[in-house]
Amino acid sequence: MKKLAILLFALSLTPLLLSAQQNAAHDGKMEWWREARFGMFIHWGVYAVPAGTYNGQRINRIGEWIMNRGKIPVADYQAFAKQFNPVKYDPDAWVRMAKDAGMKYIVITAKHHDGFAMFDSKASTWDIADATPYHKDLLKPLAEACRKYGIKLGFYYSQAQDWNNPGGAASRKVTSEGWANPDSARIDAYTAANNGHWDPAQTTKTMSQYINEVAVPQVKELLTNYGDVAVLWWDTPTNMTDEYAEKFNELLKLQPNIITNDRLKRPNYPGDYKTPEQRIPNLSELDGKDWETCMTMNETWGYKSYANNWKSTETLVRNLVDIASKGGNYLLNVGPKADGTFPQESVDLLKQVGDWMKANGEAIYDTEASPFGLFAWGRCTQKESASNTTLYFSVFDWPKDGKLVIPGLKNKVTSAKLLANNKTLKTSAGGEGLAIEVPANALDKIATVIKVEVTGKVESTLPQQKEKMKAGAID
């Protein structure tokens, strides 16, 4: 009886032990990603040729959706590939720009919703090697450059939507959202009757055929032919089923350490992290899960010649600080031109962000979320060790009275310095909290970082989660 009791007790512990092992394995593969905090998204493809304009008509919304938003026939869109010849493509320069900006990983669109593969695929001729005058794989030299500079490489892959390879899904968008097409009524009736498709060429095969003949083989190529793949970034699970998702999920065994996002198929394939898009979650959405905000530098992901609403360096840096202060990653997008160059505005912004990161990156890399929540004057990140905590206060609005107050901080201070120049600052504890004496002027008007080391762990004052994190569009 005693042996039976011991056996039953051991069996009861098995699920807990398995769960602990799974959590440890997950934490192990996520370690580099959590340390990185900052990466580059690259949306590049045939859509860079029309660059937002079709038949003289500017097509609204994001550039990489021009085929769908403009309801461009398959044959017309494929003709753009004949003009896609990125002779100025310099992957070494791209990776150096990412590294100099302080980014630790790159995720590039290996295939977006237009179905065009940016690599030499044997599963479809709608790719860079067969359909363009360039005739060369774009991803292999990028993978080599990433290895050279110590940057992790990930691939974005549109697993469900594909508007060129027959059988791929198409998210239905009303024609008037693209432009005031006088033929909108007829086109909208057609897309309503054909699951979002607007060209009969798109439906000559079933989605099962597309999944089995194109998508699954291409993902296998990506996970086989380019060395270590750090991230697989799925997008828009339109018409996906669990059966389809499992086919992709099985392929991940080819890269045991790969990290995936939450867009393969919801809810049964949550991946390793959440993906709020074009927004930074508020504190009440944080649930302890890993997350990454992806965001554009202007108003589009794929290049549009007339998209000039560029964010400022201040906005980009403060977004990064805000995201890190909430325990997230920032995936900042560049949309290269058809010739293979980055828009000059992107180049300039990357350099300026990099200048800030060179002086202050310690406050971003390998940090955890603030124990305080948000300050009116800035943000906080932290690093914990066994016996002490390092706090990084990124100050956006410099105090006019020469004193920065940290309410609620009761731990003993062992050091306080300006991060960029290592200048020691005086501190005092009072009823309001910790007061730090600061110079009259900020070192950096965007964000000056004050590094404070204290004994022990800092008690959290964060609010409880009240909302579900919005993690990007399903379709």
Side-chain angles (χ1 to χ4, degrees):
M1 193 71 180
K2 186 177 180 180
K3 288 183 179 178
L4 179 61
I6 292 172
L7 178 60
L8 291 172
F9 178 69
L11 289 172
S12 71
L13 290 178
T14 300
L16 296 175
L17 291 171
L18 286 173
S19 179
Q21 290 171 351
Q22 289 168 347
N23 289 338
H26 175 74
D27 288 342
K29 75 174 185 177
M30 293 298 290
E31 184 177 3
W32 74 263
W33 188 90
R34 293 169 181 166
E35 291 176 355
R37 290 294 174 229
F38 192 25
M40 176 183 283
F41 217 177
I42 301 175
H43 277 70
W44 194 33
V46 169
Y47 41 82
V49 173
T53 301
Y54 173 62
N55 280 348
Q57 176 66 49
R58 288 188 175 186
I59 307 300
N60 297 327
R61 309 294 177 103
I62 45 183
E64 71 283 1
W65 275 72
I66 188 172
M67 185 182 179
N68 188 323
R69 294 290 185 179
K71 301 298 181 284
I72 302 175
V74 168
D76 287 7
Y77 190 83
Q78 291 188 355
F80 286 127
K82 294 179 174 63
Q83 303 171 55
F84 190 54
N85 190 22
V87 292
K88 295 183 180 179
Y89 174 50
D90 185 349
D92 196 273
W94 282 20
V95 177
R96 277 189 283 112
M97 277 191 279
K99 189 178 180 71
D100 290 345
M103 294 158 159
K104 299 292 187 180
Y105 60 109
I106 289 172
V107 178
I108 187 170
T109 51
K111 189 199 84 168
H112 207 279
H113 306 325
D114 66 352
F116 183 79
M118 301 290 279
F119 55 101
D120 186 1
S121 174
K122 306 307 177 190
S124 172
T125 57
W126 179 232
D127 69 350
I128 186 69
D130 296 297
T132 77
Y134 193 70
H135 294 310
K136 289 180 288 185
D137 191 309
L138 294 167
L139 301 186
K140 282 193 174 179
L142 183 65
E144 290 166 6
C146 283
R147 283 190 289 271
K148 175 181 175 181
Y149 291 104
I151 298 295
K152 299 279 189 180
L153 177 63
F155 295 136
Y156 168 114
Y157 189 85
S158 174
Q159 75 278 14
Q161 288 205 77
D162 190 317
W163 307 325
N164 274 276
N165 288 296
S171 180
R172 183 172 183 260
K173 303 296 180 185
V174 178
T175 306
S176 59
E177 291 181 1
W179 67 288
N181 190 329
D183 206 17
S184 291
R186 182 191 63 79
I187 295 171
D188 289 344
Y190 187 91
T191 59
N194 290 275
N195 293 317
H197 298 99
W198 56 93
D199 186 331
Q202 297 168 319
T203 53
T204 56
K205 290 189 177 183
T206 66
M207 188 163 180
S208 290
Q209 287 175 299
Y210 158 74
I211 293 289
N212 293 329
E213 296 172 10
V214 177
V216 168
Q218 284 189 338
V219 172
K220 186 175 182 180
E221 289 173 334
L222 291 171
L223 299 181
T224 303
N225 299 334
Y226 299 90
D228 290 337
V229 180
V231 176
L232 219 168
W233 215 98
W234 309 113
D235 201 17
T236 64
T238 308
N239 299 341
M240 280 289 287
T241 65
D242 283 1
E243 179 186 359
Y244 295 155
E246 190 53 38
K247 292 175 186 287
F248 294 111
N249 207 45
E250 278 294 307
L251 293 175
L252 300 179
K253 294 175 182 176
L254 294 167
Q255 297 271 350
N257 296 317
I258 200 166
I259 294 168
T260 64
N261 70 353
D262 61 342
R263 300 190 185 192
L264 175 58
K265 166 67 171 67
R266 294 167 179 153
N268 295 335
Y269 293 83
D272 297 299
Y273 62 96
K274 297 182 177 181
T275 52
E277 183 171 325
Q278 296 283 46
R279 60 180 295 274
I280 301 172
N282 58 53
L283 291 177
S284 62
E285 293 177 80
L286 306 182
D287 58 3
K289 302 287 178 63
D290 292 294
W291 60 276
E292 172 191 78
T293 283
C294 55
M295 195 173 284
T296 54
M297 285 192 190
N298 54 13
E299 63 268 39
T300 181
W301 301 97
Y303 177 70
K304 291 177 73 171
S305 62
Y306 50 90
N308 294 311
N309 187 25
W310 296 94
K311 295 178 176 69
S312 66
T313 306
E314 176 182 286
T315 295
L316 298 180
V317 169
R318 291 185 177 181
N319 280 347
L320 174 58
V321 172
D322 187 25
I323 289 165
S325 80
K326 296 170 181 174
N329 281 22
Y330 192 25
L331 191 63
L332 184 61
N333 185 72
V334 176
K337 297 180 180 181
D339 65 1
T341 62
F342 284 3
Q344 188 59 46
E345 294 87 347
S346 295
V347 174
D348 295 341
L349 287 168
L350 288 171
K351 183 184 182 305
Q352 290 155 16
V353 172
D355 290 342
W356 188 89
M357 286 293 284
K358 284 178 179 67
N360 302 288
E362 184 185 330
I364 302 298
Y365 302 130
D366 198 19
T367 59
E368 296 178 357
S370 169
F372 305 106
L374 310 183
F375 296 112
W377 44 259
R379 298 291 184 268
C380 172
T381 53
Q382 66 172 336
K383 295 177 183 176
E384 292 181 348
S385 67
S387 58
N388 59 62
T389 302
T390 302
L391 300 164
Y392 299 93
F393 298 102
S394 295
V395 185
F396 302 159
D397 298 317
W398 199 248
K400 293 181 173 63
D401 61 358
K403 183 174 70 173
L404 187 75
V405 177
I406 316 298
L409 181 55
K410 302 172 184 177
N411 303 59
K412 180 182 176 182
V413 174
T414 57
S415 172
K417 297 177 179 179
L418 290 170
L419 181 60
N421 64 9
N422 218 31
K423 180 181 178 181
T424 299
L425 303 175
K426 293 181 179 179
T427 64
S428 59
E432 294 178 285
L434 180 72
I436 306 171
E437 294 182 26
V438 299
N441 297 312
L443 291 182
D444 193 307
K445 291 181 180 179
I446 290 176
T448 296
V449 181
I450 298 172
K451 178 181 178 180
V452 178
E453 295 178 271
V454 301
T455 58
K457 184 177 181 178
V458 178
E459 186 177 346
S460 176
T461 60
L462 290 173
Q464 293 295 310
Q465 182 197 15
K466 296 178 182 177
E467 307 169 38
K468 184 177 180 182
M469 186 183 293
K470 298 172 184 175
I474 290 178
D475 293 317

PDB file of all heavy atoms in Angstrom, residues 140-154:
ATOM      1  N   LYS A 140      20.100  34.601 -49.205  1.00  0.00           N
ATOM      2  CA  LYS A 140      21.371  33.950 -48.865  1.00  0.00           C
ATOM      3  C   LYS A 140      22.462  34.956 -48.508  1.00  0.00           C
ATOM      4  O   LYS A 140      23.131  34.809 -47.488  1.00  0.00           O
ATOM      5  CB  LYS A 140      21.816  33.018 -49.994  1.00  0.00           C
ATOM      6  CG  LYS A 140      21.061  31.698 -49.986  1.00  0.00           C
ATOM      7  CD  LYS A 140      21.692  30.654 -50.874  1.00  0.00           C
ATOM      8  CE  LYS A 140      20.955  29.322 -50.701  1.00  0.00           C
ATOM      9  NZ  LYS A 140      21.514  28.257 -51.562  1.00  0.00           N
ATOM     10  N   PRO A 141      22.685  36.003 -49.311  1.00  0.00           N
ATOM     11  CA  PRO A 141      23.714  36.974 -48.912  1.00  0.00           C
ATOM     12  C   PRO A 141      23.342  37.746 -47.650  1.00  0.00           C
ATOM     13  O   PRO A 141      24.226  38.155 -46.899  1.00  0.00           O
ATOM     14  CB  PRO A 141      23.827  37.897 -50.126  1.00  0.00           C
ATOM     15  CG  PRO A 141      22.558  37.714 -50.888  1.00  0.00           C
ATOM     16  CD  PRO A 141      22.136  36.313 -50.650  1.00  0.00           C
ATOM     17  N   LEU A 142      22.043  37.919 -47.407  1.00  0.00           N
ATOM     18  CA  LEU A 142      21.624  38.581 -46.169  1.00  0.00           C
ATOM     19  C   LEU A 142      21.942  37.691 -44.969  1.00  0.00           C
ATOM     20  O   LEU A 142      22.421  38.171 -43.932  1.00  0.00           O
ATOM     21  CB  LEU A 142      20.128  38.895 -46.216  1.00  0.00           C
ATOM     22  CG  LEU A 142      19.577  39.655 -45.003  1.00  0.00           C
ATOM     23  CD1 LEU A 142      20.183  41.059 -44.925  1.00  0.00           C
ATOM     24  CD2 LEU A 142      18.054  39.745 -45.061  1.00  0.00           C
ATOM     25  N   ALA A 143      21.693  36.388 -45.111  1.00  0.00           N
ATOM     26  CA  ALA A 143      22.013  35.446 -44.035  1.00  0.00           C
ATOM     27  C   ALA A 143      23.516  35.454 -43.753  1.00  0.00           C
ATOM     28  O   ALA A 143      23.942  35.421 -42.583  1.00  0.00           O
ATOM     29  CB  ALA A 143      21.537  34.044 -44.411  1.00  0.00           C
ATOM     30  N   GLU A 144      24.317  35.520 -44.802  1.00  0.00           N
ATOM     31  CA  GLU A 144      25.777  35.557 -44.632  1.00  0.00           C
ATOM     32  C   GLU A 144      26.205  36.829 -43.909  1.00  0.00           C
ATOM     33  O   GLU A 144      27.068  36.800 -43.019  1.00  0.00           O
ATOM     34  CB  GLU A 144      26.453  35.463 -46.002  1.00  0.00           C
ATOM     35  CG  GLU A 144      26.309  34.099 -46.661  1.00  0.00           C
ATOM     36  CD  GLU A 144      26.686  34.115 -48.136  1.00  0.00           C
ATOM     37  OE1 GLU A 144      27.166  35.165 -48.621  1.00  0.00           O
ATOM     38  OE2 GLU A 144      26.496  33.076 -48.810  1.00  0.00           O
ATOM     39  N   ALA A 145      25.607  37.957 -44.277  1.00  0.00           N
ATOM     40  CA  ALA A 145      25.951  39.230 -43.630  1.00  0.00           C
ATOM     41  C   ALA A 145      25.537  39.221 -42.157  1.00  0.00           C
ATOM     42  O   ALA A 145      26.262  39.739 -41.298  1.00  0.00           O
ATOM     43  CB  ALA A 145      25.291  40.389 -44.370  1.00  0.00           C
ATOM     44  N   CYS A 146      24.399  38.639 -41.862  1.00  0.00           N
ATOM     45  CA  CYS A 146      23.949  38.559 -40.463  1.00  0.00           C
ATOM     46  C   CYS A 146      24.918  37.717 -39.627  1.00  0.00           C
ATOM     47  O   CYS A 146      25.254  38.079 -38.493  1.00  0.00           O
ATOM     48  CB  CYS A 146      22.537  37.977 -40.392  1.00  0.00           C
ATOM     49  SG  CYS A 146      21.237  39.150 -40.845  1.00  0.00           S
ATOM     50  N   ARG A 147      25.370  36.612 -40.185  1.00  0.00           N
ATOM     51  CA  ARG A 147      26.357  35.782 -39.474  1.00  0.00           C
ATOM     52  C   ARG A 147      27.655  36.566 -39.261  1.00  0.00           C
ATOM     53  O   ARG A 147      28.279  36.495 -38.191  1.00  0.00           O
ATOM     54  CB  ARG A 147      26.628  34.491 -40.248  1.00  0.00           C
ATOM     55  CG  ARG A 147      25.523  33.451 -40.107  1.00  0.00           C
ATOM     56  CD  ARG A 147      25.930  32.101 -40.680  1.00  0.00           C
ATOM     57  NE  ARG A 147      25.996  32.117 -42.135  1.00  0.00           N
ATOM     58  CZ  ARG A 147      24.966  31.848 -42.931  1.00  0.00           C
ATOM     59  NH1 ARG A 147      23.772  31.563 -42.419  1.00  0.00           N
ATOM     60  NH2 ARG A 147      25.104  31.860 -44.243  1.00  0.00           N
ATOM     61  N   LYS A 148      28.054  37.313 -40.270  1.00  0.00           N
ATOM     62  CA  LYS A 148      29.301  38.092 -40.201  1.00  0.00           C
ATOM     63  C   LYS A 148      29.271  39.112 -39.067  1.00  0.00           C
ATOM     64  O   LYS A 148      30.270  39.294 -38.356  1.00  0.00           O
ATOM     65  CB  LYS A 148      29.519  38.798 -41.547  1.00  0.00           C
ATOM     66  CG  LYS A 148      30.714  39.732 -41.599  1.00  0.00           C
ATOM     67  CD  LYS A 148      30.811  40.379 -42.977  1.00  0.00           C
ATOM     68  CE  LYS A 148      31.911  41.415 -43.050  1.00  0.00           C
ATOM     69  NZ  LYS A 148      31.978  42.055 -44.399  1.00  0.00           N
ATOM     70  N   TYR A 149      28.117  39.764 -38.884  1.00  0.00           N
ATOM     71  CA  TYR A 149      28.027  40.849 -37.906  1.00  0.00           C
ATOM     72  C   TYR A 149      27.345  40.446 -36.594  1.00  0.00           C
ATOM     73  O   TYR A 149      27.113  41.295 -35.727  1.00  0.00           O
ATOM     74  CB  TYR A 149      27.301  42.049 -38.521  1.00  0.00           C
ATOM     75  CG  TYR A 149      28.104  42.719 -39.609  1.00  0.00           C
ATOM     76  CD1 TYR A 149      27.786  42.526 -40.952  1.00  0.00           C
ATOM     77  CD2 TYR A 149      29.190  43.522 -39.308  1.00  0.00           C
ATOM     78  CE1 TYR A 149      28.528  43.128 -41.962  1.00  0.00           C
ATOM     79  CE2 TYR A 149      29.936  44.128 -40.305  1.00  0.00           C
ATOM     80  CZ  TYR A 149      29.600  43.925 -41.629  1.00  0.00           C
ATOM     81  OH  TYR A 149      30.349  44.525 -42.622  1.00  0.00           O
ATOM     82  N   GLY A 150      27.029  39.165 -36.444  1.00  0.00           N
ATOM     83  CA  GLY A 150      26.436  38.708 -35.194  1.00  0.00           C
ATOM     84  C   GLY A 150      25.004  39.154 -34.983  1.00  0.00           C
ATOM     85  O   GLY A 150      24.560  39.355 -33.850  1.00  0.00           O
ATOM     86  N   ILE A 151      24.268  39.315 -36.070  1.00  0.00           N
ATOM     87  CA  ILE A 151      22.864  39.709 -36.012  1.00  0.00           C
ATOM     88  C   ILE A 151      22.001  38.476 -36.281  1.00  0.00           C
ATOM     89  O   ILE A 151      22.238  37.732 -37.220  1.00  0.00           O
ATOM     90  CB  ILE A 151      22.556  40.798 -37.059  1.00  0.00           C
ATOM     91  CG1 ILE A 151      23.378  42.061 -36.780  1.00  0.00           C
ATOM     92  CG2 ILE A 151      21.058  41.129 -37.088  1.00  0.00           C
ATOM     93  CD1 ILE A 151      23.053  42.771 -35.497  1.00  0.00           C
ATOM     94  N   LYS A 152      20.985  38.268 -35.457  1.00  0.00           N
ATOM     95  CA  LYS A 152      20.069  37.142 -35.657  1.00  0.00           C
ATOM     96  C   LYS A 152      19.166  37.442 -36.850  1.00  0.00           C
ATOM     97  O   LYS A 152      18.750  38.598 -37.064  1.00  0.00           O
ATOM     98  CB  LYS A 152      19.203  36.932 -34.414  1.00  0.00           C
ATOM     99  CG  LYS A 152      19.975  36.597 -33.142  1.00  0.00           C
ATOM    100  CD  LYS A 152      20.349  35.138 -33.094  1.00  0.00           C
ATOM    101  CE  LYS A 152      20.910  34.761 -31.732  1.00  0.00           C
ATOM    102  NZ  LYS A 152      21.274  33.328 -31.669  1.00  0.00           N
ATOM    103  N   LEU A 153      18.830  36.400 -37.627  1.00  0.00           N
ATOM    104  CA  LEU A 153      17.990  36.580 -38.811  1.00  0.00           C
ATOM    105  C   LEU A 153      16.690  35.806 -38.677  1.00  0.00           C
ATOM    106  O   LEU A 153      16.688  34.630 -38.299  1.00  0.00           O
ATOM    107  CB  LEU A 153      18.731  36.107 -40.061  1.00  0.00           C
ATOM    108  CG  LEU A 153      17.947  36.167 -41.380  1.00  0.00           C
ATOM    109  CD1 LEU A 153      17.569  37.607 -41.727  1.00  0.00           C
ATOM    110  CD2 LEU A 153      18.750  35.535 -42.510  1.00  0.00           C
ATOM    111  N   GLY A 154      15.598  36.472 -38.995  1.00  0.00           N
ATOM    112  CA  GLY A 154      14.286  35.835 -38.993  1.00  0.00           C
ATOM    113  C   GLY A 154      13.588  36.065 -40.317  1.00  0.00           C
ATOM    114  O   GLY A 154      13.890  37.022 -41.046  1.00  0.00           O
TER     115      GLY A 154
END
